[in-house]
Amino acid sequence: FTHPFVAIKALKVTIRIYAITDSIKRSGSIGADNSGGKLDAFKHAFWIASVSAAIGPKKALKLGVAHEKGNERQFKKHQLEDEVLPDSISSVMDLHNNVQGAGVVEASKKYSVQQLQEKIMQLLVNGQLVCIKKDKQGNYLTCAGESIDLQQWRGKWSIPKCLIPSNEN
């Protein structure tokens, strides 16, 4: 960010949102999968919605894009994000959910954290967010439903994972 006050405001919101998301994870209400699951989808949409409410949707979406570019740099350096190596479909998922989150914030309307949380939960329940398709054991699946052997895809940015609406299992 070239605007330090905006960056500080976004950081404060981010810290608060991660604490709330961690609390939701512990409750198990939408699962605990922070790597392509419903919790991950919720986290990104809620984060960008909250940052949008604080600094505006345009700046919030730029922050989300910068974050995803950072994930690609992490991948190239073999650095983990949330205990897994980032990949292209995870970035596509996050960018989609960021746009959905920013979309709930209307110009000149103030929202409480609880209101934003409820709006994002509704997006999740309605299938407007996306998740990565997995089997019951947590293995990633292709769109055809075939299990993906991640060992075969080690070191690859593009893995044939499949995005599904957040209201599918």
Side-chain angles (χ1 to χ4, degrees), residues 52 55-63:
S52 292
I55 65 172
K58 189 174 180 180
K59 289 178 185 170
L61 285 170
K62 282 184 178 182
L63 175 63

Side-chain angles (χ1 to χ4, degrees), residues 3-58:
H3 299 47
F5 295 114
V6 172
I8 290 168
K9 195 180 268 191
L11 178 61
K12 286 179 181 178
V13 170
T14 299
I15 291 167
R16 185 177 71 232
I17 296 316
Y18 274 62
I20 292 168
T21 304
D22 191 51
S23 174
I24 291 169
K25 179 180 181 176
R26 285 192 308 275
S27 79
S29 61
I30 57 173
D33 187 355
N34 204 22
S35 180
K38 291 180 182 185
L39 180 67
D40 191 15
F42 174 86
K43 176 182 73 176
H44 275 270
F46 186 41
W47 172 52
I48 293 296
S50 299
V51 173
S52 292
I55 65 172
K58 189 174 180 180

Side-chain angles (χ1 to χ4, degrees), residues 57-138:
K58 189 174 180 180
K59 289 178 185 170
L61 285 170
K62 282 184 178 182
L63 175 63
V65 169
H67 175 77
E68 294 311 316
K69 285 181 181 178
N71 282 351
E72 190 168 3
R73 286 190 298 276
Q74 282 180 283
F75 167 80
K76 290 176 181 175
K77 293 178 182 178
H78 306 288
Q79 296 173 336
L80 303 180
E81 180 197 32
D82 295 324
E83 301 174 20
V84 296
L85 196 60
D87 60 59
S88 64
I89 200 72
S90 297
S91 286
V92 170
M93 173 189 156
D94 293 347
L95 289 169
H96 171 87
N97 293 332
N98 290 351
V99 168
Q100 294 299 310
V104 303
V105 178
E106 299 170 25
S108 75
K109 181 159 185 195
K110 296 288 182 192
Y111 294 100
S112 70
V113 173
Q114 183 64 35
Q115 287 172 314
L116 287 175
Q117 190 173 340
E118 289 169 5
K119 285 177 169 286
I120 299 305
M121 198 61 75
Q122 197 60 50
L123 293 177
L124 185 76
V125 169
N126 291 343
Q128 292 169 272
L129 302 180
V130 293
C131 300
I132 298 176
K133 187 174 186 174
K134 296 182 181 183
D135 62 18
K136 290 183 182 185
Q137 291 75 38

